[in-house]
Amino acid sequence: QVQLVESGGGSVQAGGSLRLACRVYGYSNSLYWMAWFRQAPGPEHEGVAAINIGSGDTYYADSVKGRFTISQDNAKSTLYLEMRSLKPEDTAVHYCAAASTPRLTGSWWRVGPYNYWGQGTQVTVSP
């Protein structure tokens, strides 16, 4: 069983920065991918960024390219999302997710393949 615990959300003004962290507990050897999703008010989750745990390859939504960086610290079993130049439209609950599916290169942004989710952390960006 795998448990994901996020931290690092908060409130900032536009142009500011935040770093989110996601600590992985439990049997993580079964995981191939980790990602960050976000949910603004409404039902849809948006895939923000993902990382292939084995290769370290990273993937980003167009809306965050050049501003966000996803990274992993295997020694600390922690996933990070460094967010810079934040905009009001980045306001959302941000979720950490992990998948035990090996092939997600063409579909990393889809919610379905991720079988472990954190509880979410709120990010609020004011104008």
Side-chain angles (χ1 to χ4, degrees), residues 30-127:
S30 63
L31 303 178
Y32 287 89
W33 290 79
M34 293 198 71
W36 290 96
F37 287 79
R38 64 188 181 186
Q39 184 180 26
E44 299 295 325
H45 282 71
E46 177 191 9
V48 174
I51 186 166
N52 180 299
I53 295 171
S55 68
D57 291 340
T58 57
Y59 303 82
Y60 297 93
D62 288 344
S63 58
V64 306
K65 277 181 183 176
R67 300 188 299 122
F68 289 13
T69 302
I70 188 172
S71 62
Q72 58 183 352
D73 185 332
N74 293 330
K76 296 182 179 179
S77 297
T78 302
L79 178 76
Y80 298 100
L81 184 68
E82 190 77 38
M83 303 184 294
R84 299 178 296 275
S85 302
L86 283 161
K87 305 174 181 180
E89 50 264 44
D90 294 318
T91 295
V93 178
H94 286 63
Y95 295 90
C96 170
S100 50
T101 303
R103 295 187 180 90
L104 284 182
T105 302
S107 58
W108 65 267
W109 63 87
R110 297 185 188 275
V111 169
Y114 293 87
N115 41 343
Y116 301 104
W117 291 82
Q119 80 284 0
T121 184
Q122 177 70 44
V123 171
T124 302
V125 185
S126 57

